[in-house]
């Protein structure tokens, strides 16, 4: 009879010890879950801050592009005005016999000016694209 009681006592102690162990494991898992939730929330907040920063940078680059587009339009208008002035000057200053030669020279100068301004416009566009690629490489559209 004492053997049965000892066996019963051991099993009781084992079950009680097992229950305590499981309770500690549950507490540990609950703490782990709370820590993981806190870390997840922190990561979400960090990602939101990064997204806000990129949104702000996009607006900045768009504003820069608008400024460059306005400069490009002004350069185009300036080119047309210079061509008209050049044509008017050539027409007023050149005698009829030399008109053809002067027209050729004026045209050559205008073509050179147009090429240099065209190259400047291309350089500005390339710079805009380079800035876009540098800041937002994943957002650049392939065209």
């Amino acid at each position: 009879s004492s053997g049965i009681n000892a066996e019963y006592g051991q099993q009781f102690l084992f079950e009680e010890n097992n229950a305590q162990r499981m309770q500690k494991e549950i507490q540990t898992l609950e703490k782990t879950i709370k820590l993981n939730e806190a870390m997840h929330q922190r990561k979400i907040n960090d990602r939101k801050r990064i997204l806000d920063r990129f949104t702000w940078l996009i607006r900045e680059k768009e504003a820069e592009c608008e400024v460059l587009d306005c400069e490009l339009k002004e350069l185009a208008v300036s080119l047309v005005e210079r061509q008209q002035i050049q044509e008017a000057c050539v027409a007023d200053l050149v005698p009829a016999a030399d008109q053809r030669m002067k027209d050729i020279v004026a045209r050559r100068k205008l073509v050179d000016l147009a090429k240099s301004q065209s190259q400047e416009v291309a350089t500005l566009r390339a710079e805009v694209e380079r800035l876009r690629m540098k800041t937002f490489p994943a957002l650049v559209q392939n065209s």
Side-chain angles (χ1 to χ4, degrees), residues 13-30:
L13 286 175
F14 174 75
E15 287 176 3
E16 187 175 302
N17 193 15
N18 195 25
Q20 288 175 349
R21 206 171 334 133
M22 288 189 66
Q23 187 62 33
K24 283 184 181 178
E25 190 174 329
I26 289 171
Q27 289 173 349
T28 303
L29 289 173
E30 287 175 347

Side-chain angles (χ1 to χ4, degrees), residues 70-129:
C70 288
E71 288 180 18
L72 180 63
K73 289 176 185 174
E74 289 174 10
L75 286 171
V77 168
S78 176
L79 175 64
V80 170
E81 289 174 349
R82 287 179 184 182
Q83 287 174 336
Q84 290 173 347
I85 290 170
Q86 188 71 27
E87 289 170 4
C89 289
V90 168
D92 290 342
L93 299 176
V94 178
D98 295 328
Q99 183 65 38
R100 181 162 159 67
M101 185 60 182
K102 294 292 182 180
D103 284 346
I104 292 172
V105 170
R107 178 166 168 70
R108 182 76 244 156
K109 287 181 182 177
L110 288 174
V111 167
D112 290 343
L113 179 63
K115 281 183 183 177
S116 71
Q117 288 180 345
S118 175
Q119 288 173 349
E120 184 177 345
V121 167
T123 302
L124 289 173
R125 283 191 176 143
E127 179 67 16
V128 168
E129 190 61 29

Side-chain angles (χ1 to χ4, degrees), residues 4-19:
I4 295 174
N5 281 342
E7 197 175 297
Y8 176 75
Q10 284 179 351
Q11 183 159 353
F12 177 76
L13 286 175
F14 174 75
E15 287 176 3
E16 187 175 302
N17 193 15
N18 195 25

Side-chain angles (χ1 to χ4, degrees), residues 25-71:
E25 190 174 329
I26 289 171
Q27 289 173 349
T28 303
L29 289 173
E30 287 175 347
K31 285 181 184 177
T32 303
I33 288 171
K34 285 182 182 177
L35 283 173
N36 284 341
E37 287 174 346
M39 272 197 319
H40 180 67
Q41 190 59 44
R42 243 181 287 140
K43 285 182 180 181
I44 288 173
N45 291 338
D46 288 345
R47 297 293 193 263
K48 284 181 181 177
R49 276 193 294 277
I50 290 170
L51 179 63
D52 290 343
R53 175 77 175 142
F54 279 140
T55 302
W56 180 81
L57 286 171
I58 287 170
R59 282 194 214 112
E60 285 271 315
K61 295 302 173 188
E62 286 173 345
E64 286 179 30
C65 288
E66 285 181 30
V67 167
L68 289 173
D69 285 342
C70 288
E71 288 180 18

